Amino acid sequence: MTADRDRNDQGRAEQARPRDALGRPLPYGATGVEPISQHPLPPEETLAYARQLLDEGRAFAAHEVLEVRWKSCPDEERALWQGLAQLCVGLTHAERGNRVGAARLVERGAGRLDAYGRAAGPAYGLDLGALVACARERVS
């Protein structure tokens, strides 16, 4: 454990430092965007909230919502939530001007979603191929 990271009582990293809309840390005391709750939501609520954040231009926050779900989901759904989170991280990199990192993260997420789709797990109404195509277009 390092002293330069905010930690909770269990020693896990927390987001006590304010962040801008692209997820970049701001100085303590600065006004940033509202942080994302670390409590997992049910699948449909997770997707609706992530979509709302994406519509608001907050891909980093959408990634955080999806990440909370992935860390608490059943093992058989992990590739879905992790893949979706990686697409959002890719979009975040693109918004920050890192096209190479954006493309890499989108492809990593696409691979997870492709594998998940072949395993025929619940997709909660998502067209995974269309999401990947959209992310690829946005980062190119």
Side-chain angles (χ1 to χ4, degrees):
M1 191 159 53
T2 62
D4 64 336
R5 295 196 65 190
D6 296 313
R7 301 279 177 176
N8 64 19
D9 293 338
Q10 291 79 39
R12 292 191 176 143
E14 282 193 342
Q15 22 172 337
R17 192 167 170 188
R19 294 186 176 270
D20 70 10
L22 296 179
R24 295 175 293 215
L26 297 171
Y28 287 102
T31 302
V33 296
E34 186 171 335
I36 300 303
S37 169
Q38 296 300 302
H39 298 288
L41 299 171
E44 291 83 3
E45 289 179 44
T46 298
L47 293 171
Y49 190 27
R51 177 61 191 243
Q52 174 191 337
L53 291 165
L54 286 167
D55 289 345
E56 293 172 2
R58 295 185 60 197
F60 182 81
H63 142 264
E64 288 185 316
V65 168
L66 295 163
E67 184 177 64
V68 169
R69 180 73 196 155
W70 127 40
K71 290 181 178 181
S72 65
C73 73
D75 286 343
E76 61 272 10
E77 291 184 15
R78 187 148 291 142
L80 170 67
W81 301 106
Q82 191 172 22
L84 293 171
Q86 286 175 321
L87 293 184
C88 290
V89 172
L91 297 175
T92 300
H93 279 285
E95 291 170 350
R96 292 177 179 174
N98 178 3
R99 295 286 175 200
V100 172
R104 285 183 182 153
L105 264 297
V106 166
E107 290 312 310
R108 199 173 298 155
R112 288 188 193 286
L113 294 175
D114 181 57
Y116 183 78
R118 284 186 274 113
Y124 301 100
L126 297 174
D127 181 338
L128 300 179
L131 289 175
V132 168
C134 179
R136 283 176 173 150
E137 183 178 317
R138 287 184 59 184
V139 303
S140 63

